[in-house]
Amino acid sequence: IQDISFSVKKGQTLAILGKTGAGKSTILSLISRLHDVTDGKIIIDGSEISQLNLYDLRNSIGIVPQDAFLFSDSIKNNIKFGKENASDLEIESAAKSAVVHDNILGFNNKYDTILGERGITLSGGQKQRVSIARAIIKNPPILLFDDCLSAVDTETEETILNNLLTYCKDKTTIIVSHRVSSAKNADQIIILEEGKIIEKGTHNELLEQNGYYKDLYVKQLSEKEIS
């Protein structure tokens, strides 16, 4: 990636869209210091992240990766991984926000259901939603969602996003997605292409630009109407 510059305030949401390989996930990896920047700097609360204690930095971030990683353990313990001392009420609340609570109740052992390796017991969408529950139960000041709603239908996606709007109102949130529906309510949206920002603005501002974002919006709207 090159010449990337943006700022997100507490309580704001930034959405990052672009084709596969555009650099979206790389930005999240840099923020969480899975990789270090080779040029430029990333600043959180006035401090360069390279100067922050790595444990403290990562402890202040909740990440939901593109490929949800779950352990061969109970659903309850998979969610509690985000907060080891979480109560049953907190676990259920997080699962409800992630719209996976009803699915969990459908299993014979409910929250005590043991998952197969890498969560094989669950569908792709259920794995993503359990991962979202794990991230939000942690209650971190920064949330990073890496295309983590790709396996859920648009109706469920909308419910989850509405829940997150309420939950994230005092947090800094970055959503990486391929879908305009995940991005349209963000405070700002950036479009990446080959590692560079090609468009930047709100949903309405980007529609007026008649560029990549508008083309994607029209395409996905027509696909939704057909389906």
Side-chain angles (χ1 to χ4, degrees):
I1 61 174
Q2 50 191 313
D3 301 325
I4 301 289
S5 179
F6 61 81
S7 62
V8 192
K9 295 178 182 176
K10 178 181 176 180
Q12 286 191 336
T13 298
L14 167 73
I16 306 175
L17 274 70
K19 295 174 184 173
T20 301
K24 304 184 298 297
S25 297
T26 301
I27 290 174
L28 301 193
S29 295
L30 290 170
I31 293 170
S32 54
R33 280 198 71 195
L34 294 176
H35 304 292
D36 280 322
V37 291
T38 53
D39 193 17
K41 52 194 173 184
I42 298 171
I43 296 171
I44 296 177
D45 287 342
S47 300
E48 282 193 53
I49 63 169
S50 58
Q51 305 303 312
L52 300 174
N53 176 282
L54 190 58
Y55 174 82
D56 291 340
L57 171 70
R58 290 183 178 162
N59 201 41
S60 67
I61 297 173
I63 304 177
V64 186
Q66 198 167 358
D67 296 316
F69 184 91
L70 300 179
F71 304 103
S72 300
D73 202 337
S74 67
I75 294 174
K76 178 190 289 186
N77 286 342
N78 267 283
I79 296 174
K80 278 180 75 171
F81 185 74
K83 183 182 179 183
E84 290 182 8
N85 62 347
S87 67
D88 287 350
L89 195 64
E90 288 176 304
I91 292 165
E92 286 190 16
S93 176
K96 285 175 181 174
S97 292
V99 196
V100 74
H101 174 71
D102 289 344
N103 296 108
I104 295 169
L105 294 186
F107 294 114
N108 289 335
N109 294 320
K110 300 179 172 55
Y111 281 85
D112 293 317
T113 299
I114 302 296
L115 302 180
E117 193 172 340
R118 293 185 67 88
I120 200 167
T121 314
L122 304 178
S123 70
Q126 289 168 346
K127 283 193 279 190
Q128 287 184 332
R129 284 175 279 160
V130 168
S131 290
I132 292 170
R134 174 197 285 170
I136 64 179
I137 202 170
K138 187 178 178 182
N139 197 30
I142 299 169
L143 281 163
L144 307 177
F145 297 107
D146 190 0
D147 206 16
C148 62
L149 295 171
S150 58
V152 303
D153 60 80
T154 50
E155 192 175 319
T156 305
E157 176 195 38
E158 196 156 329
T159 306
I160 294 170
L161 289 169
N162 285 334
N163 292 346
L164 290 177
L165 275 177
T166 305
Y167 177 80
C168 298
K169 63 179 181 293
D170 61 343
K171 305 182 188 310
T172 303
T173 308
I174 299 179
I175 298 175
V176 161
S177 182
H178 285 90
R179 290 180 182 170
V180 168
S181 50
S182 289
K184 64 182 181 183
N185 292 319
D187 295 286
Q188 56 176 318
I189 302 164
I190 60 175
I191 310 297
L192 292 187
E193 187 174 276
E194 296 181 354
K196 292 183 176 181
I197 294 175
I198 58 167
E199 292 175 32
K200 195 173 187 177
T202 63
H203 172 73
N204 289 333
E205 286 168 351
L206 290 174
L207 287 182
E208 289 175 6
Q209 288 182 28
N210 293 318
Y212 176 90
Y213 185 85
K214 183 171 182 182
D215 288 345
L216 188 65
Y217 175 74
V218 171
K219 181 179 175 233
Q220 292 183 355
L221 193 64
S222 62
E223 284 173 356
K224 186 178 178 181
E225 286 170 353
I226 290 167
S227 61

